[in-house]
Amino acid sequence: MDQKKIDRINALAHKAKAEGLTDEERRERDVLRREYIDAVVGNLRQELEHTYVVDAYGNKRKLTKRGGIKS
């Protein structure tokens, strides 16, 4: 997500606190927030896919998914 979109999210948040948002601005805010959350989750998922755990004996193993985690 680029900085312009993040700045727009922040501007809408400030406006919501100060004077409120129109329906169109609320929809825009919701779309931008969803895009931001998806980007953060995607980056985290990618980072975890390339993470290894090293035990006390120096054995390296890849992280695995657990039962309750959505993919």
Side-chain angles (χ1 to χ4, degrees), residues 45 64-71:
R45 186 163 302 182
T64 58
K65 290 185 181 180
R66 293 190 130 186
I69 299 175
K70 295 179 187 177
S71 53

Side-chain angles (χ1 to χ4, degrees), residues 14-69:
H14 290 295
K15 184 176 180 191
K17 286 183 180 181
E19 58 193 72
L21 299 173
T22 65
D23 288 338
E24 184 178 326
E25 288 170 331
R26 259 187 239 109
R27 283 191 294 276
E28 179 187 7
R29 179 192 63 186
D30 293 343
V31 167
L32 289 171
R33 281 182 174 177
R34 173 59 20 208
E35 187 177 336
Y36 178 79
I37 290 169
D38 290 344
V40 169
V41 169
N43 289 339
L44 176 60
R45 186 163 302 182
Q46 186 174 14
E47 188 70 30
L48 290 174
E49 286 176 359
H50 295 89
T51 300
Y52 291 86
V53 176
V54 179
D55 64 17
Y57 302 105
N59 298 321
K60 195 168 138 179
R61 64 182 174 87
K62 197 168 182 133
L63 289 178
T64 58
K65 290 185 181 180
R66 293 190 130 186
I69 299 175

